[in-house]
Every structure is written in C-alpha cells, then in structure tokens.
Amino acid sequence: MTADQQELALSDKIAATVQAYIDHLNGGTAEQIADLYADGATVEDPIGAPIRRTREELVEFYGIITNLDSRDATLKWTKIAGDTAVFEFTLVTGTAGMSFEITPVDIMVFDENGKIVSMRAVWEQSDLKQL
C-alpha cells in the first residue's frame, strides 16, 4: 500500500469515527461513545476544563448527555488532514421541559486504527443557549 493509499484509508476511518460519534450522541450510550476512544485518550471539553483521562471519566462525562430526555446532534462540516479531524456540530438537548443548544467545534486526533486519542472542544459557556 502506498503512503497515499494509507492516508486515504486513515481518512476513511476518521470520517467513519466522526459519524459514529454524532450517531452515538443522537442515540447511543456513554459506553458506545467511550468505545470510540483509544486506551489512554484525553478529552478536554471545553478547552481549559480539567482533562479527562480514564474510560470511567469518559463514561461519566458522556453519561451527562446520554441520560438527558432528548438529544439531537447534527454534523455541520468536517475537515480531515493526516491524523486530525476538525468538525462543527449542533447539539440540542432537552430535560425537565427545557431545551438547550450548543454548536461546538471539536478537534480530534486519531491513531492508525481510527480511534480517538485526543479530543478538544472549542466552545465557551456563552455559546450554550436556552431555547
């Protein structure tokens, strides 16, 4: 396999993982989202927040979203270069009769198997809007 073919194969794996991430935000479990991450991966969401480093911390973090009454994630765009993807999505969540919307930009770095090794989310508290 040529370097260009390997690059394409990784790009395809990354695109599939990004789509699976959005799909699991919509209807998956916290465990399914955590399964997209490599062992030892880090999550900084949002940038500046304490970095989550263990599977247990990832499951706890994503459980906040997956345990809400409703959630709807829509991928807006994705850019992939080398081992990195940058993408924007809108997430609308609902609980206790209230709805919230946020549109973060995530920066993810992947290993050769298409597993996430690092995720940093670009957003700030003022980006979270009550609908």
Side-chain angles (χ1 to χ4, degrees):
M1 184 181 289
T2 68
D4 286 345
Q5 288 171 321
Q6 287 176 340
E7 185 78 17
L8 181 59
L10 180 57
S11 179
D12 290 343
K13 289 176 187 177
I14 290 171
T17 301
V18 169
Q19 188 58 57
Y21 182 79
I22 298 298
D23 292 345
H24 292 332
L25 284 175
N26 276 319
T29 65
E31 291 80 8
Q32 287 174 312
I33 297 171
D35 287 344
L36 298 173
Y37 286 85
D39 290 340
T42 60
V43 171
E44 186 179 5
D45 188 346
I47 290 175
I51 297 174
R52 294 164 180 89
R53 300 181 185 278
T54 67
R55 178 175 173 79
E56 292 76 24
E57 289 175 320
L58 296 182
V59 169
E60 179 183 8
F61 173 69
Y62 286 109
I64 294 167
I65 296 168
T66 60
N67 289 325
L68 293 170
D69 296 338
S70 65
R71 52 201 159 111
D72 181 28
T74 305
L75 185 61
K76 297 179 82 148
W77 55 262
T78 306
K79 296 287 184 189
I80 299 170
D83 65 354
T84 303
V86 178
F87 60 95
E88 182 180 35
F89 66 100
T90 299
L91 177 63
V92 178
T93 59
T95 189
M98 296 184 297
S99 294
F100 297 91
E101 178 183 81
I102 191 160
T103 304
V105 174
D106 283 5
I107 304 163
M108 292 182 174
V109 178
F110 297 80
D111 67 14
E112 65 278 357
N113 298 312
K115 293 274 191 173
I116 305 161
V117 297
S118 169
M119 187 277 263
R120 300 181 81 207
V122 182
W123 65 275
E124 59 186 4
Q125 196 61 40
S126 64
D127 294 326
L128 184 61
K129 300 185 179 6
Q130 185 171 352
L131 302 177

